[in-house]
Amino acid sequence: MTEARWPVGRRERTARRTPGTPCWVSLMAHDLGATQEFYAELFGWAYEPGPEQLGPYVRALLDGCEVAGIGQLPPDRHLPIAWTPYLASDDVDATAETARHCGGTVGVGPLDAAEAGRLAIASDPAGAVFGIWQAASHLGMAVAGLPGTPAWNELVTRETVEVSKFYRTLFGYTEEAAVGSDEDYLTLFLDGQAVASVHGVGQALPRDRGAHWMTYFETADVDASVARATALGGHVVRPARAGAHGRIATVADPEGALFTLVRTERPH
Protein backbone atom coordinates (compact mmCIF):
# COMPACT_ATOMS: atom_id res chain seq x y z
CA MET A 1 0.00 0.00 0.00
CA THR A 2 1.27 3.49 -0.69
CA GLU A 3 0.90 6.87 0.98
CA ALA A 4 -2.43 8.33 2.14
CA ARG A 5 -4.54 9.30 -0.85
CA TRP A 6 -7.34 11.53 0.40
CA PRO A 7 -7.62 14.30 2.96
CA VAL A 8 -9.69 13.23 5.97
CA GLY A 9 -13.39 13.69 5.41
CA ARG A 10 -13.15 14.87 1.84
CA ARG A 11 -16.55 14.76 0.13
CA GLU A 12 -16.80 13.64 -3.49
CA ARG A 13 -20.47 14.30 -4.21
CA THR A 14 -19.83 16.59 -7.18
CA ALA A 15 -16.48 15.25 -8.39
CA ARG A 16 -16.62 12.88 -11.35
CA ARG A 17 -13.65 10.54 -11.16
CA THR A 18 -10.94 10.24 -13.77
CA PRO A 19 -11.46 6.95 -15.67
CA GLY A 20 -9.59 4.17 -13.87
CA THR A 21 -10.01 5.67 -10.41
CA PRO A 22 -11.50 3.27 -7.84
CA CYS A 23 -14.83 4.92 -7.04
CA TRP A 24 -16.86 2.26 -5.19
CA VAL A 25 -16.60 -1.13 -3.51
CA SER A 26 -19.37 -3.70 -3.37
CA LEU A 27 -19.91 -7.08 -1.74
CA MET A 28 -22.36 -9.77 -2.84
CA ALA A 29 -23.24 -12.11 0.04
CA HIS A 30 -25.67 -14.98 0.64
CA ASP A 31 -27.18 -13.57 3.85
CA LEU A 32 -27.72 -9.86 3.31
CA GLY A 33 -29.16 -9.21 6.76
CA ALA A 34 -26.37 -10.93 8.67
CA THR A 35 -23.71 -9.28 6.50
CA GLN A 36 -25.22 -5.84 7.10
CA GLU A 37 -25.18 -6.50 10.84
CA PHE A 38 -21.53 -7.60 10.81
CA TYR A 39 -20.30 -4.44 9.06
CA ALA A 40 -22.63 -2.17 11.02
CA GLU A 41 -21.11 -3.48 14.24
CA LEU A 42 -17.56 -3.33 12.87
CA PHE A 43 -17.60 0.01 11.06
CA GLY A 44 -20.70 1.80 12.35
CA TRP A 45 -22.44 1.68 8.99
CA ALA A 46 -26.11 2.50 8.47
CA TYR A 47 -27.94 1.51 5.28
CA GLU A 48 -30.33 2.74 2.63
CA PRO A 49 -31.87 0.81 -0.30
CA GLY A 50 -29.94 0.72 -3.57
CA PRO A 51 -31.20 0.41 -7.17
CA GLU A 52 -33.92 -2.23 -7.52
CA GLN A 53 -32.38 -3.48 -10.77
CA LEU A 54 -29.54 -4.95 -8.70
CA GLY A 55 -31.90 -7.15 -6.68
CA PRO A 56 -31.70 -6.98 -2.87
CA TYR A 57 -28.99 -4.32 -2.46
CA VAL A 58 -28.16 -1.61 0.06
CA ARG A 59 -25.73 1.27 0.23
CA ALA A 60 -23.70 1.61 3.41
CA LEU A 61 -23.58 5.07 4.97
CA LEU A 62 -21.29 6.85 7.42
CA ASP A 63 -22.86 10.03 8.78
CA GLY A 64 -25.24 9.97 5.82
CA CYS A 65 -22.43 9.64 3.26
CA GLU A 66 -22.28 6.62 0.92
CA VAL A 67 -19.18 4.47 1.34
CA ALA A 68 -19.91 0.95 -0.01
CA GLY A 69 -22.58 -1.42 -1.29
CA ILE A 70 -23.80 -4.84 -0.18
CA GLY A 71 -26.05 -7.07 -2.25
CA GLN A 72 -27.53 -10.53 -1.97
CA LEU A 73 -26.59 -13.41 -4.26
CA PRO A 74 -29.41 -15.58 -5.58
CA PRO A 75 -29.55 -18.89 -3.66
CA ASP A 76 -28.40 -20.86 -6.69
CA ARG A 77 -25.30 -18.71 -7.32
CA HIS A 78 -22.27 -20.27 -5.64
CA LEU A 79 -19.70 -17.60 -6.37
CA PRO A 80 -16.72 -16.58 -4.23
CA ILE A 81 -17.81 -14.01 -1.66
CA ALA A 82 -15.47 -11.06 -2.17
CA TRP A 83 -15.25 -7.29 -1.99
CA THR A 84 -15.10 -5.93 -5.54
CA PRO A 85 -13.71 -2.50 -6.47
CA TYR A 86 -15.40 -0.52 -9.21
CA LEU A 87 -13.18 1.53 -11.52
CA ALA A 88 -14.61 4.70 -13.03
CA SER A 89 -15.32 4.90 -16.76
CA ASP A 90 -16.83 7.54 -19.04
CA ASP A 91 -18.17 4.77 -21.32
CA VAL A 92 -18.69 1.40 -19.66
CA ASP A 93 -19.65 -0.29 -22.93
CA ALA A 94 -16.41 0.77 -24.62
CA THR A 95 -14.33 -0.18 -21.57
CA ALA A 96 -15.99 -3.60 -21.39
CA GLU A 97 -15.34 -4.18 -25.08
CA THR A 98 -11.68 -3.21 -24.67
CA ALA A 99 -11.41 -5.60 -21.72
CA ARG A 100 -12.67 -8.44 -23.93
CA HIS A 101 -10.20 -7.61 -26.68
CA CYS A 102 -7.33 -7.56 -24.19
CA GLY A 103 -7.95 -11.02 -22.77
CA GLY A 104 -10.42 -10.17 -20.02
CA THR A 105 -13.92 -11.53 -19.51
CA VAL A 106 -17.14 -9.60 -18.94
CA GLY A 107 -19.42 -11.63 -16.69
CA VAL A 108 -22.21 -9.14 -16.00
CA GLY A 109 -23.55 -6.29 -18.13
CA PRO A 110 -23.08 -3.69 -19.23
CA LEU A 111 -26.43 -2.82 -17.67
CA ASP A 112 -28.21 0.19 -16.20
CA ALA A 113 -28.63 0.60 -12.44
CA ALA A 114 -31.70 2.86 -12.60
CA GLU A 115 -30.70 6.53 -12.55
CA ALA A 116 -27.54 5.77 -10.57
CA GLY A 117 -25.38 4.83 -13.55
CA ARG A 118 -24.29 1.97 -15.76
CA LEU A 119 -22.06 -0.94 -14.79
CA ALA A 120 -20.28 -4.08 -15.85
CA ILE A 121 -18.42 -6.71 -13.88
CA ALA A 122 -15.33 -8.13 -15.52
CA SER A 123 -12.27 -10.20 -14.77
CA ASP A 124 -8.73 -9.53 -15.93
CA PRO A 125 -6.64 -12.15 -17.81
CA ALA A 126 -5.41 -13.56 -14.46
CA GLY A 127 -9.00 -13.99 -13.24
CA ALA A 128 -9.28 -11.10 -10.75
CA VAL A 129 -12.81 -9.66 -10.69
CA PHE A 130 -13.46 -5.92 -10.82
CA GLY A 131 -16.36 -3.62 -11.62
CA ILE A 132 -16.62 -0.83 -14.18
CA TRP A 133 -18.83 2.12 -13.23
CA GLN A 134 -20.17 4.88 -15.47
CA ALA A 135 -21.67 7.38 -13.07
CA ALA A 136 -24.96 9.19 -13.56
CA SER A 137 -26.58 10.33 -10.30
CA HIS A 138 -24.37 8.06 -8.16
CA LEU A 139 -20.76 9.22 -8.33
CA GLY A 140 -19.43 6.67 -5.85
CA MET A 141 -17.89 7.02 -2.40
CA ALA A 142 -18.91 10.31 -0.83
CA VAL A 143 -16.39 10.39 2.01
CA ALA A 144 -12.90 9.02 2.53
CA GLY A 145 -10.11 8.98 5.09
CA LEU A 146 -12.38 8.26 8.06
CA PRO A 147 -12.70 4.98 10.01
CA GLY A 148 -15.07 2.70 8.13
CA THR A 149 -14.25 4.03 4.65
CA PRO A 150 -12.36 2.25 1.85
CA ALA A 151 -8.76 3.43 1.95
CA TRP A 152 -7.04 1.56 -0.90
CA ASN A 153 -7.40 -1.22 -3.47
CA GLU A 154 -4.60 -3.62 -4.33
CA LEU A 155 -4.56 -6.31 -7.00
CA VAL A 156 -2.93 -9.48 -5.65
CA THR A 157 -1.75 -11.62 -8.57
CA ARG A 158 1.00 -14.03 -9.54
CA GLU A 159 3.11 -11.52 -11.45
CA THR A 160 2.59 -7.90 -12.45
CA VAL A 161 3.99 -7.63 -15.98
CA GLU A 162 1.21 -9.01 -18.16
CA VAL A 163 -1.76 -8.00 -16.02
CA SER A 164 -0.49 -4.44 -15.63
CA LYS A 165 -0.49 -4.15 -19.44
CA PHE A 166 -4.18 -5.05 -19.39
CA TYR A 167 -5.11 -2.30 -16.93
CA ARG A 168 -2.78 0.19 -18.58
CA THR A 169 -4.57 -0.38 -21.90
CA LEU A 170 -7.99 0.00 -20.25
CA PHE A 171 -7.32 3.15 -18.26
CA GLY A 172 -3.95 4.66 -19.22
CA TYR A 173 -2.28 4.20 -15.85
CA THR A 174 1.34 5.13 -15.37
CA GLU A 175 3.31 2.83 -13.07
CA GLU A 176 6.03 3.06 -10.47
CA ALA A 177 7.88 -0.02 -9.28
CA ALA A 178 8.85 -0.47 -5.63
CA VAL A 179 12.25 1.11 -5.03
CA GLY A 180 15.00 -0.75 -3.18
CA SER A 181 12.96 -3.92 -2.91
CA ASP A 182 12.95 -7.34 -4.52
CA GLU A 183 9.15 -7.32 -4.37
CA ASP A 184 7.15 -7.44 -7.59
CA TYR A 185 5.07 -4.39 -6.72
CA LEU A 186 3.68 -1.57 -8.83
CA THR A 187 1.81 1.56 -7.82
CA LEU A 188 -0.69 2.81 -10.42
CA PHE A 189 -1.06 6.53 -11.06
CA LEU A 190 -3.59 8.74 -12.81
CA ASP A 191 -2.82 12.42 -13.35
CA GLY A 192 0.13 12.05 -11.00
CA GLN A 193 -1.94 10.66 -8.13
CA ALA A 194 -1.52 7.13 -6.76
CA VAL A 195 -4.86 5.32 -7.09
CA ALA A 196 -4.18 1.58 -6.70
CA SER A 197 -1.43 -1.03 -6.65
CA VAL A 198 -0.53 -4.40 -8.14
CA HIS A 199 1.35 -6.95 -6.03
CA GLY A 200 2.88 -10.00 -7.68
CA VAL A 201 3.24 -12.70 -5.03
CA GLY A 202 4.33 -15.64 -7.21
CA GLN A 203 3.72 -19.06 -5.69
CA ALA A 204 2.31 -17.45 -2.54
CA LEU A 205 -0.91 -16.69 -4.43
CA PRO A 206 -3.65 -18.67 -2.63
CA ARG A 207 -4.74 -21.58 -4.79
CA ASP A 208 -8.27 -21.51 -3.42
CA ARG A 209 -8.72 -17.84 -4.30
CA GLY A 210 -6.40 -17.05 -7.20
CA ALA A 211 -5.77 -13.51 -8.37
CA HIS A 212 -8.03 -11.03 -6.58
CA TRP A 213 -8.49 -7.42 -5.61
CA MET A 214 -8.02 -6.62 -1.93
CA THR A 215 -9.91 -3.69 -0.37
CA TYR A 216 -8.36 -1.87 2.58
CA PHE A 217 -10.71 -0.23 5.09
CA GLU A 218 -9.55 2.54 7.39
CA THR A 219 -9.92 1.98 11.13
CA ALA A 220 -8.94 3.95 14.21
CA ASP A 221 -7.44 0.89 15.94
CA VAL A 222 -6.44 -2.16 13.92
CA ASP A 223 -6.04 -4.51 16.88
CA ALA A 224 -9.38 -3.55 18.40
CA SER A 225 -11.09 -3.98 15.01
CA VAL A 226 -9.52 -7.42 14.55
CA ALA A 227 -10.82 -8.47 17.95
CA ARG A 228 -14.24 -7.06 17.11
CA ALA A 229 -14.37 -8.82 13.73
CA THR A 230 -13.48 -12.12 15.39
CA ALA A 231 -16.12 -11.67 18.07
CA LEU A 232 -18.69 -11.01 15.35
CA GLY A 233 -17.96 -14.31 13.59
CA GLY A 234 -15.11 -13.36 11.29
CA HIS A 235 -11.59 -14.76 11.44
CA VAL A 236 -8.01 -13.58 11.10
CA VAL A 237 -6.20 -14.33 7.84
CA ARG A 238 -3.00 -12.34 8.50
CA PRO A 239 -2.47 -10.99 12.03
CA ALA A 240 -1.94 -7.31 12.79
CA ARG A 241 1.51 -6.09 11.81
CA ALA A 242 3.39 -2.97 10.82
CA GLY A 243 3.03 -2.08 7.15
CA ALA A 244 4.95 0.45 5.09
CA HIS A 245 2.37 3.18 5.78
CA GLY A 246 0.51 2.05 8.86
CA ARG A 247 -0.60 -0.92 10.92
CA ILE A 248 -2.54 -3.53 8.94
CA ALA A 249 -4.32 -6.87 9.39
CA THR A 250 -6.24 -9.06 6.96
CA VAL A 251 -9.48 -10.64 8.13
CA ALA A 252 -12.48 -12.43 6.63
CA ASP A 253 -16.13 -11.80 7.41
CA PRO A 254 -18.43 -14.69 8.42
CA GLU A 255 -19.05 -15.63 4.77
CA GLY A 256 -15.34 -15.54 3.92
CA ALA A 257 -14.98 -12.16 2.19
CA LEU A 258 -11.42 -10.96 2.73
CA PHE A 259 -10.51 -7.37 3.52
CA THR A 260 -7.61 -5.57 5.13
CA LEU A 261 -7.89 -3.21 8.07
CA VAL A 262 -5.45 -0.31 8.09
CA ARG A 263 -4.67 2.61 10.31
CA THR A 264 -2.95 4.94 7.91
CA GLU A 265 -0.10 6.94 9.36
CA ARG A 266 -0.74 10.47 8.21
CA PRO A 267 1.86 13.24 8.11
CA HIS A 268 1.55 15.72 10.95
Side-chain angles (χ1 to χ4, degrees):
M1 202 179 98
T2 114
E3 201 57 75
R5 277 73 47 197
W6 302 288
V8 174
R10 177 180 172 187
R11 263 63 177 177
E12 296 283 4
R13 290 192 181 281
T14 60
R16 185 173 294 276
R17 269 74 166 191
T18 301
T21 305
C23 59
W24 189 246
V25 293
S26 191
L27 173 66
M28 299 299 289
H30 290 295
D31 189 331
L32 179 57
T35 300
Q36 286 181 248
E37 185 175 345
F38 173 85
Y39 288 100
E41 292 290 336
L42 184 62
F43 292 138
W45 290 350
Y47 301 97
E48 67 179 11
E52 292 181 1
Q53 285 88 341
L54 302 180
Y57 187 86
V58 296
R59 291 176 181 155
L61 310 175
L62 269 179
D63 297 327
C65 297
E66 300 162 346
V67 294
I70 303 175
Q72 183 166 303
L73 284 170
D76 58 341
R77 297 294 295 275
H78 300 289
L79 301 174
I81 309 301
W83 280 101
T84 301
Y86 280 72
L87 308 178
S89 172
D90 288 338
D91 186 337
V92 68
D93 295 77
T95 302
E97 189 62 25
T98 301
R100 289 190 189 96
H101 284 306
C102 293
T105 302
V106 178
V108 176
L111 57 86
D112 290 324
E115 72 285 350
R118 188 164 171 81
L119 68 89
I121 299 175
S123 56
D124 65 29
V129 176
F130 64 98
I132 307 166
W133 181 252
Q134 181 181 338
S137 66
H138 177 63
L139 297 176
M141 291 176 288
V143 62
L146 302 178
T149 61
W152 191 246
N153 290 281
E154 180 173 286
L155 173 60
V156 182
T157 190
R158 192 171 300 280
E159 55 84 27
T160 64
V161 174
E162 291 303 320
V163 77
S164 65
K165 290 180 183 177
F166 170 82
Y167 288 99
R168 189 166 62 241
T169 302
L170 280 190
F171 297 114
Y173 297 121
T174 56
E175 303 162 359
E176 183 179 291
V179 179
S181 170
D182 292 332
E183 277 196 303
D184 184 11
Y185 188 95
L186 298 175
T187 303
L188 306 181
F189 290 82
L190 288 170
D191 301 329
Q193 181 178 3
V195 295
S197 53
V198 185
H199 191 185
V201 298
Q203 296 303 314
L205 188 68
R207 291 189 179 185
D208 62 340
R209 188 165 294 271
H212 60 279
W213 280 90
M214 173 69 73
T215 297
Y216 288 68
F217 287 98
E218 192 71 36
T219 182
D221 186 326
V222 169
D223 297 83
S225 292
V226 168
R228 186 68 174 151
T230 303
L232 292 167
H235 66 272
V236 178
V237 177
R238 292 194 67 191
R241 61 205 182 275
H245 299 280
R247 191 161 178 78
I248 59 175
T250 301
V251 299
D253 70 17
E255 289 199 17
L258 299 184
F259 57 98
T260 294
L261 297 160
V262 59
R263 188 186 190 286
T264 307
E265 294 176 357
R266 303 182 186 279
H268 296 290

